[in-house]
Amino acid sequence: MKTYINILILLITFFSFASCSEELVDQSQTGILRGRVVKKGTNEPIANVKVFTTPSTQTTFSDKDGMFEIKDIPAGNYSVKAELSGYVSSFQAVNIQNQSQVVTIVFEMDDDDSLNSPPTAPQLLSPIDNAVNQPLSVQLSWNATDPDKSDSLTYKLTVKNNINTDVILVNDLKVKNYTLSNLQFGVSYFWQISVSDGVHPEVLSPIFKFTTNTTPANRYHYVKKQNGNFVIVSSDNLGNNFQLTNVANSSWRPRKNNNAGLIAFLRNDAGGSHIFTANPDGSNVFKVTQIPVAGFNQNELDFSWNTTGSMFLYSNFDKLYKINKDGTGQQLVYTTPDGSLISEVDWSYDNTKIAIKTNNFNGYNTKILIIDMLGNVLQNVFSSATGATGGLNFSVDGQKLLYTHDVSGYQDANYRQLDSHIFIYNLVNNTIIDASLQSDKPIGTNDLDPRFSPNNAQIIFVNTSNDNISQKNIFLIDLNNTGVDFTRAILFSNGEMPDFE
């Protein structure tokens, strides 16, 4: 019996040791947990995310690349949690089964919008609501704040007006101001700002209104070169000006008619130069001609309104045409008998006389003639085989005619002039006054494109160096009854082809 008891004790001891040995083997198995934390939707790495397990083992933090690692995790089932302020905590289940097993997981974490506050409604600062007499270029400014200092605010500007359905949208503004340019005279504009922090829906400002100036009755118009094209500028006598046309369409030789309430000018279209009209603010551009204005050099071409503003005279090579301002009723008025080109034309105030300048295909061998409306030649004013000539303009009473001529007689392929003078020709007694000489024109310069003032007391014109590359400036000559000792003064810098109405 004693022997059986001893055998039983030995068996129990053996199985006890065997059980303990199995438990120790299981507890000694450990694995490795590796992973990465990224932002959901963009896969951008998130640093400093706290990662830990339940049951608890170790706690670690993701690095700058979003990577983390927990070593020596005993075999078993775990819940792994990733948490960082501003993000929704994320959980994943992990099972470690074998010794040195490596388990890899990826956490995609969402922003926790509940922890972020929306920005304030934008406050519109300027112009103030219902502001009037605003210029055609207005700087809008506003302000908005966000309680979350780390948020980046983006603004959107919406602008509407009271004359059409056009909408201006400017997106993705990072600054709190924006300049609206190329506005129209006498128009009311309505503007609103929306702000976004990238988390919440856009927050809208109130809607503010401002109104631009009415169209000024500017008496001066001229052109400037911008990026190789001409733009027309309107100005008053104080130098307050605005740009009438855009740089995309070269426009030159402005001619205002107060009776028509329009500005006419030349512009290239369909391969030729044509007469266009526009309102004094540059709106409602209308093409008048179908047969182009043509001659030897488009920059030397000129046309003329009649006094009432209902018709134009213009040339096409050797022919002179009359046409209504709406493009109807085109008629041939005159054809040169020798095939010479008509480059310039002016219509007398009483609409009975026409001054024309003719020249050859190089711009020389010029003649200035006065014809009637039937094409009959009334008077030969000037002729010259050499030197450039131009700048025709009648006085209001029709008794005087302005023109220019290069007294040096110089000629070349670039139509360069060396000493162009302004002359006042008296059509009644055939006398001539050299206005450039009497106003002390600087040596080495040219006087070009003269026009009488509306009261015949002044001449507006261009003066520039004869080097053919220098800046052109617009001057005024004050006339007097003696015909001598005139004075000249600069009116506008960097301008040409002036008009004075």
Side-chain angles (χ1 to χ4, degrees):
M1 175 64 104
K2 184 176 180 180
T3 301
Y4 286 115
I5 292 173
N6 289 335
I7 292 172
L8 180 61
I9 292 171
L10 288 172
L11 289 172
I12 292 171
T13 302
F14 173 78
F15 283 114
S16 295
F17 275 116
S19 175
C20 290
S21 175
E22 181 179 355
E23 182 178 354
L24 288 174
V25 170
D26 289 343
Q27 289 180 350
S28 68
Q29 291 179 339
T30 61
I32 300 172
L33 174 64
R34 292 174 181 163
R36 190 169 188 240
V37 187
V38 297
K39 190 170 183 178
K40 188 173 183 178
T42 66
N43 289 325
E44 298 175 26
I46 305 176
N48 298 318
V49 178
K50 181 180 178 181
V51 181
F52 58 93
T53 65
T54 302
S56 177
T57 55
Q58 299 179 37
T59 297
T60 188
F61 292 87
S62 61
D63 62 18
K64 64 182 179 62
D65 296 317
M67 307 299 295
F68 66 87
E69 181 180 86
I70 299 177
K71 297 180 178 179
D72 301 325
I73 300 179
N77 295 315
Y78 296 91
S79 174
V80 185
K81 183 178 182 181
E83 64 179 22
L84 176 67
S85 178
Y87 291 87
V88 178
S89 297
S90 182
F91 297 85
Q92 288 206 41
V94 170
N95 176 251
I96 302 292
Q97 297 179 345
N98 305 313
Q99 175 67 23
S100 301
Q101 179 181 355
V102 178
V103 177
T104 302
I105 60 176
V106 175
F107 285 106
E108 292 184 307
M109 299 185 72
D110 268 333
D111 290 323
D112 188 355
D113 294 349
S114 65
L115 301 177
N116 188 281
S117 299
T120 62
Q123 177 186 8
L124 306 186
L125 302 178
S126 67
I128 62 172
D129 194 19
N130 294 310
V132 296
N133 298 323
Q134 297 299 296
L136 301 187
S137 181
V138 174
Q139 185 178 67
L140 309 177
S141 64
W142 59 90
N143 189 38
T145 58
D146 193 311
D148 304 290
K149 302 302 181 183
S150 61
D151 283 356
S152 176
L153 299 184
T154 302
Y155 303 96
K156 179 174 73 176
L157 167 66
T158 304
V159 183
K160 300 181 181 180
N161 64 73
N162 66 340
I163 62 170
N164 55 43
T165 59
D166 291 349
V167 178
I168 300 172
L169 287 177
V170 184
N171 296 304
D172 300 324
L173 289 169
K174 298 297 184 182
V175 294
K176 301 175 184 178
N177 60 79
Y178 184 80
T179 299
L180 281 175
S181 301
N182 299 319
L183 303 177
Q184 297 184 50
F185 284 110
V187 174
S188 293
Y189 292 89
F190 305 86
W191 63 291
Q192 185 177 42
I193 295 293
S194 63
V195 60
S196 173
D197 60 359
V199 177
H200 299 87
E202 292 180 336
V203 181
L204 298 175
S205 75
I207 297 175
F208 272 22
K209 168 188 171 183
F210 68 88
T211 304
T212 55
N213 288 317
T214 56
T215 307
N218 289 343
R219 307 190 72 177
Y220 301 106
H221 293 82
Y222 59 95
V223 300
K224 284 187 173 184
K225 272 282 185 72
Q226 289 186 8
N227 299 326
N229 281 344
F230 286 119
V231 295
I232 298 175
V233 176
S234 174
S235 182
D236 61 16
N237 60 345
L238 299 177
N240 300 308
N241 59 59
F242 67 93
Q243 188 172 304
L244 197 72
T245 60
N246 60 58
V247 71
N249 297 301
S250 189
S251 305
W252 67 99
R253 200 63 70 182
R255 293 289 178 250
K256 184 181 182 184
N257 187 287
N258 290 324
N259 292 321
L262 296 171
I263 307 291
F265 52 89
L266 296 179
R267 174 180 288 179
N268 283 328
D269 183 74
S273 300
H274 289 269
I275 298 174
F276 285 76
T277 60
N279 291 336
D281 63 356
S283 63
N284 294 330
V285 175
F286 175 76
K287 180 182 175 182
V288 177
T289 53
Q290 295 303 315
I291 297 175
V293 184
F296 90 101
N297 185 321
Q298 67 174 12
N299 290 342
E300 301 297 327
L301 299 174
D302 203 353
F303 62 96
S304 181
W305 286 96
N306 68 344
T307 302
T308 61
S310 61
M311 298 181 184
F312 293 102
L313 284 172
Y314 76 98
S315 61
N316 176 267
F317 297 108
D318 62 339
K319 294 177 173 57
L320 182 67
Y321 289 103
K322 179 174 66 173
I323 190 170
N324 295 328
K325 70 177 180 183
D326 64 0
T328 64
Q330 181 161 305
Q331 297 179 28
L332 179 64
V333 176
Y334 178 76
T335 302
T336 60
D338 57 359
S340 58
L341 308 181
I342 303 172
S343 296
E344 297 185 33
V345 57
D346 195 47
W347 210 338
S348 67
Y349 191 80
D350 62 5
N351 298 322
T352 64
K353 293 181 293 188
I354 302 169
I356 61 172
K357 186 205 80 172
T358 67
N359 50 258
N360 61 23
F361 281 84
N362 296 316
Y364 302 114
N365 194 22
T366 57
K367 295 179 182 178
I368 298 176
L369 305 174
I370 307 296
I371 64 174
D372 63 19
M373 295 305 299
L374 298 176
N376 300 309
V377 177
L378 304 178
Q379 196 168 356
N380 293 297
V381 174
F382 177 83
S383 65
S384 177
T386 60
T389 304
L392 304 186
N393 186 227
F394 278 109
S395 61
V396 174
D397 59 13
Q399 295 184 2
K400 297 181 179 66
L401 183 72
L402 287 176
Y403 68 91
T404 64
H405 180 65
D406 182 3
V407 298
S408 74
Y410 182 76
Q411 298 184 173
D412 71 6
N414 296 318
Y415 204 64
R416 181 177 174 181
Q417 303 181 48
L418 298 185
D419 193 12
S420 180
H421 285 224
I422 298 171
F423 296 94
I424 306 172
Y425 187 92
N426 191 311
L427 298 169
V428 177
N429 59 24
N430 298 321
T431 58
I432 302 174
I433 296 174
D434 186 335
S436 296
L437 181 64
Q438 295 300 328
S439 61
D440 297 325
K441 179 181 75 70
I443 296 174
T445 67
N446 291 312
D447 286 344
L448 305 165
D449 291 332
R451 306 282 291 178
F452 278 116
S453 64
N455 62 1
N456 288 348
Q458 295 174 309
I459 298 172
I460 191 171
F461 66 102
V462 171
N463 180 263
T464 185
S465 170
N466 65 13
D467 61 11
N468 223 26
I469 58 173
S470 292
Q471 175 176 294
K472 296 178 180 179
N473 301 308
I474 297 173
F475 283 75
L476 281 176
I477 288 177
D478 289 321
L479 304 176
N480 57 49
N481 291 327
T482 66
V484 296
D485 296 330
F486 302 149
T487 60
R488 65 168 60 201
I490 191 168
L491 184 61
F492 304 114
S493 296
N494 188 24
E496 53 188 295
M497 302 185 190
D499 186 53
F500 188 0
E501 294 296 328

